[in-house]
């Protein structure tokens, strides 16, 4: 994608936001029609499944529902680039040395675990990256003022990403790609969520980030460290991702760091899906994504009512089209305009709240950890297809595993006891 087209995306993104709901809806209809036409022409899977549809589709409800479990077995027919095969992509993600590299020189690859069902492999093309950058710039321009910008510049523009490392996770892949840029390398700090808290605090104190970008559960733990006086950083902005938090936690984190706090709801299938406003609502970037709250029969749920699940359509990804894709999350669509004035639809998400794990020490003092530190360890173990972690007692965790076909269960359990 050319520099000129990236500039056009940024300009169009801001124009749609200013022009309001009808302009956004018109872009959505046109882009849906283009995406369906492209998928039909280039994806054998969609060509077969869409053969009875009208020539031009502008209403997503005309499309059949898809899911990760349904699409992954048809991966080679699902993607639109014949050079992409599941075997080749799997070989790519099995090599940790390739994290941040481009598959076939042009695609970013990220993986999902089996915690919510079938493991997934997702490709992000240059168009998706450009759209992500455009809506991200739109968000930051409305969020940050001149004073915030000055604080970020004064701290060297350093960004601390507290994320999962050691795998082709979306955040780790993005961080590795950013650090390959020579001009950005010293401004991007990557800190693993597995790092013991005292070491993590020491490293963040030394790095002095202008922007702190942790998973939400880790952000809550770091706020506690800041309040206790062990962590003493002064970011202008805290950007939380992954799980949600109880509402009061966002204001606590903001107070602890003296910073603006924002969170997002996104997925490997659509990295630019939404961002929060100052009133805590998540605004869907509906000029580039369609999110449909539905019931158990995939019928629309009215605004103000919680859905059983939600269907996602990514209007940017032409390499691996995501069309009426069941994300499995329960959402509530706000029935009235958000008081922040943003014309984009506002939602709340259920089922992604972080449950921090707290254990007593031998002296009876509480120690709290984020569940991600355990789940990400399990994700890295070969032979694990699905797993579940249950906090069964104050000092006990129960782990349930489903091995991949052909794996040795006894060897897997030995690895779990060694690593966890």
């Amino acid at each position: 994608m050319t520099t000129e087209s990236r500039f056009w995306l940024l300009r169009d993104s801001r124009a749609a936001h200013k022009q309001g709901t009808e302009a956004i809806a018109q872009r959505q209809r046109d882009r849906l029609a283009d995406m369906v036409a492209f998928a039909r022409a280039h994806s054998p899977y969609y060509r077969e499944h869409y053969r009875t549809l009208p020539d031009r589709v502008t209403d997503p409800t005309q499309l059949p529902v898809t899911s990760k479990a349904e699409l992954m077995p048809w991966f080679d027919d699902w993607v639109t680039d014949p050079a992409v095969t599941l075997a080749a992509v799997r070989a790519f993600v099995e090599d940790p040395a390739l994290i941040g590299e481009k598959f076939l020189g042009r695609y970013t690859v990220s993986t999902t675990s089996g915690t919510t069902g079938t493991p997934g492999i997702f490709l992000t093309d240059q168009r998706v990256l450009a759209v992500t950058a455009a809506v991200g710039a739109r968000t930051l321009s409305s969020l940050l003022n001149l004073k915030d910008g000055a604080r970020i510049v004064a701290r060297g523009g350093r960004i601390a990403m507290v994320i999962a490392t050691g795998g082709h996770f979306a955040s780790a892949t993005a961080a590795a790609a950013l650090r390959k840029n020579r001009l950005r390398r010293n401004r991007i700090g990557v800190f693993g969520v597995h790092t013991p808290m005292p070491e993590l605090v020491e490293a963040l104190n030394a790095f002095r980030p202008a922007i702190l970008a942790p998973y939400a559960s880790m952000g809550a733990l770091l706020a506690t460290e800041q309040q206790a006086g062990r962590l003493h950083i002064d970011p202008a902005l805290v950007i939380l991702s992954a799980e949600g938090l109880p509402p009061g936690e966002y204001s606590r984190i903001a107070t602890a760091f003296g910073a603006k706090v924002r969170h997002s709801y996104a997925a490997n299938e659509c990295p630019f899906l939404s961002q929060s406003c100052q009133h805590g609502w998540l605004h869907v970037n509906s000029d580039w994504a369609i999110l449909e709250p539905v019931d158990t029969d995939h019928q629309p749920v009215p605004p103000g009512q919680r859905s059983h699940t939600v269907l996602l359509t990514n209007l940017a990804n032409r390499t691996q089209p995501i069309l009426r894709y069941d994300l499995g999350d329960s959402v509530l669509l706000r029935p009235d305009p958000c008081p922040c004035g943003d014309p984009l639809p506002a939602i709340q998400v259920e089922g992604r709240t972080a449950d921090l794990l707290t254990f007593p020490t031998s002296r009876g003092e509480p120690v709290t950890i984020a569940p991600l530190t355990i789940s990400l360890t399990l994700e890295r173990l070969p032979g694990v297809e699905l797993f579940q972690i249950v906090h069964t007692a104050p000092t006990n965790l129960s782990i349930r595993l489903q091995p991949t076909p052909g794996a040795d269960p006894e060897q897997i359990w030995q690895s779990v006891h060694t690593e966890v």
Side-chain angles (χ1 to χ4, degrees):
M1 182 166 285
T2 66
T3 302
E4 181 181 3
S5 59
R6 286 179 180 271
F7 174 75
W8 180 88
L9 283 171
L10 176 58
R11 186 174 62 179
D12 180 75
S13 177
R14 289 175 172 169
H17 200 257
K18 288 181 180 179
Q19 291 163 6
T21 54
E22 182 48 42
I24 292 169
Q26 185 60 54
R27 284 167 170 80
Q28 190 181 93
R29 289 189 291 268
D30 291 342
R31 287 166 181 165
L32 176 62
D34 290 344
M35 181 59 70
V36 171
F38 187 89
R40 273 174 147 168
H42 299 279
S43 164
Y45 176 89
Y46 284 114
R47 186 180 305 123
E48 170 64 20
H49 283 69
Y50 289 178
R51 67 184 185 280
T52 62
L53 295 182
D55 290 340
R56 180 175 169 82
V57 175
T58 58
D59 181 353
T61 62
Q62 294 177 281
L63 305 177
V65 174
T66 61
S67 68
K68 183 168 58 175
E70 178 184 337
L71 290 167
M72 280 302 299
W74 295 95
F75 186 92
D76 291 359
D77 288 337
W78 171 20
V79 295
T80 62
D81 184 346
V84 175
T85 66
L86 182 58
V89 180
R90 278 181 170 161
F92 180 88
V93 300
E94 285 173 1
D95 187 350
L98 296 176
I99 297 171
E101 299 290 339
K102 299 286 189 183
F103 174 67
L104 299 180
R106 55 186 180 272
Y107 300 122
T108 299
V109 181
S110 63
T111 60
T112 65
S113 70
T115 53
T116 57
T118 306
I121 297 177
F122 296 96
L123 277 69
T124 299
D125 56 27
Q126 287 299 111
R127 190 166 186 249
V128 173
L129 293 176
V131 170
T132 302
V135 298
R138 176 173 70 189
T139 299
L140 287 177
S141 65
S142 63
L143 169 63
L144 301 177
N145 55 34
L146 290 175
K147 183 178 178 181
D148 298 324
R151 286 181 67 187
I152 291 173
V153 171
R155 288 155 185 75
R158 290 183 295 276
I159 302 173
M161 302 177 70
V162 187
I163 57 174
T165 56
H168 288 261
F169 310 117
S171 53
T173 298
L178 286 171
R179 286 176 61 84
K180 289 182 184 301
N181 184 309
R182 184 174 55 84
L183 297 177
R184 294 174 177 167
R185 188 175 303 149
N186 294 330
R187 293 191 286 120
I188 305 294
V190 178
F191 306 86
V193 293
H194 295 93
T195 307
M197 186 58 72
E199 294 178 23
L200 179 59
V201 166
E202 183 180 1
L204 288 172
N205 283 336
F207 187 69
R208 296 179 297 113
I211 298 174
L212 178 64
Y215 296 142
S217 55
M218 185 58 69
L221 293 177
L222 291 174
T224 299
E225 293 296 305
Q226 182 90 354
Q227 289 173 319
R230 293 180 288 270
L231 180 65
H232 41 83
I233 58 176
D234 185 26
L237 177 64
V238 178
I239 303 174
L240 305 173
S241 60
E243 333 92 328
L245 293 171
E249 282 293 90
Y250 297 107
S251 58
R252 183 179 75 88
I253 294 170
T255 300
F257 292 110
K260 290 182 176 177
V261 174
R262 291 292 184 269
H263 61 286
S264 66
Y265 165 56
N268 291 52
E269 295 89 337
C270 190
F272 55 81
L273 184 53
S274 75
Q275 71 289 319
S276 68
C277 69
Q278 66 266 38
H279 295 279
W281 287 84
L282 291 156
H283 289 269
V284 179
N285 292 306
S286 56
D287 46 343
W288 284 105
I290 303 172
L291 209 59
E292 302 172 66
V294 294
D295 61 20
T296 53
D297 298 318
H298 294 138
Q299 296 303 304
V301 168
Q305 180 178 321
R306 299 206 175 275
S307 70
H308 171 73
T309 187
V310 66
L311 306 179
L312 167 69
T313 296
N314 181 327
L315 298 172
N317 192 339
R318 290 186 172 179
T319 301
Q320 192 176 14
I322 305 291
L323 300 166
R324 288 207 97 202
Y325 176 99
D326 190 337
L327 272 179
D329 294 322
S330 173
V331 306
L332 179 147
L333 177 64
R334 188 180 179 116
D336 57 340
C338 184
C340 75
D342 194 321
L344 296 170
I347 62 169
Q348 291 178 343
V349 182
E350 292 291 300
R352 285 201 171 192
T353 301
D355 294 316
L356 298 176
L357 300 173
T358 301
F359 302 94
T361 67
S362 57
R363 296 192 298 270
E365 300 168 348
V367 173
T368 302
I369 64 171
L372 278 168
T373 59
I374 300 173
S375 64
L376 291 170
T377 298
L378 293 173
E379 287 178 23
R380 288 201 296 262
L381 295 179
V384 176
E385 182 168 15
L386 302 173
F387 62 84
Q388 183 182 52
I389 303 169
V390 182
H391 197 180
T392 55
T395 59
N396 293 323
L397 285 178
S398 174
I399 298 177
R400 300 169 181 168
L401 299 175
Q402 177 178 312
T404 56
D408 181 353
E410 176 130 3
Q411 185 174 1
I412 293 172
W413 279 115
Q414 287 177 356
S415 298
V416 170
H417 284 293
T418 300
E419 297 293 333
V420 177

